[in-house]
Amino acid sequence: MTREELKAAARAMLDRAYCPYSRFPVGAALECEDGTVYTGCNVENAAYPAGICAERNAIFHAVAEGHTRLRRIVIAGKSADFCVPCGVCRQVMREFSADLEIVCLNGAGEEKTFTLEDLLPHGFGPDFLSDN
Ligand code: THU
């Protein structure tokens, strides 16, 4: 899938977002190292903490299907501000990639690209535990 196709897949997931409480839809499309793509959207719940972000939804979907090496994720929002991943999602990303490319899209279709190292410098990951 091309970068533009991955962006389109993330935007398409905005329509699947279940966000009756925040009314803040988010879509994500994740490309694994072998090129496989998984998508996700935010799914909220009446018991608020039970909800999940679009990024983690996509990542857990990939892991559940056997993919633990990630290359790129596109995160689409509808607001003027770029939808950057929350701290919990950044930590979950670190588990499966130290140098993930993170493409954030705003509602105007503009993009801003980060590395995970930009967003989670000196992050703690599984490599820290490999000596044990
Ligand atoms: N949300 C995401 O899905 N991804 C982000 O990067 C930021 C926030 C969701 C969580 C919640 O459903 C809604 O957006 C408002 O915080």
Side-chain angles (χ1 to χ4, degrees):
M1 190 176 273
T2 66
R3 189 189 169 89
E4 286 307 308
E5 287 170 337
L6 197 68
K7 286 164 64 175
R11 268 194 222 99
M13 289 306 290
L14 286 166
D15 291 336
R16 300 262 175 90
Y18 178 78
C19 54
Y21 307 106
S22 71
R23 302 195 184 287
F24 189 85
V26 184
L30 171 70
E31 188 176 82
C32 303
E33 267 189 16
D34 69 352
T36 313
V37 169
Y38 292 95
T39 54
C41 59
N42 53 334
V43 180
E44 298 182 348
N45 192 276
Y48 290 4
I52 191 165
C53 293
E55 300 90 312
R56 260 176 298 150
N57 195 347
I59 293 168
F60 291 162
H61 188 186
V63 174
E65 296 292 337
H67 293 86
T68 55
R69 295 168 73 89
L70 315 179
R71 181 192 290 154
R72 174 185 288 154
I73 189 166
V74 179
I75 307 160
K78 287 186 174 173
S79 59
D81 287 331
F82 290 94
C83 189
V84 291
C86 78
V88 174
C89 286
R90 294 178 196 197
Q91 183 61 37
V92 168
M93 291 168 182
R94 180 65 177 77
E95 186 71 19
F96 303 110
S97 174
D99 59 356
L100 186 70
E101 183 184 346
I102 300 165
V103 181
C104 301
L105 304 179
N106 68 5
E110 297 160 331
E111 74 170 73
K112 208 176 240 183
T113 299
F114 305 92
T115 64
L116 183 56
E117 186 63 26
D118 292 331
L119 300 184
L120 189 70
H122 310 292
F124 185 78
D127 41 308
F128 283 74
L129 302 174
S130 59
D131 291 340
N132 290 334

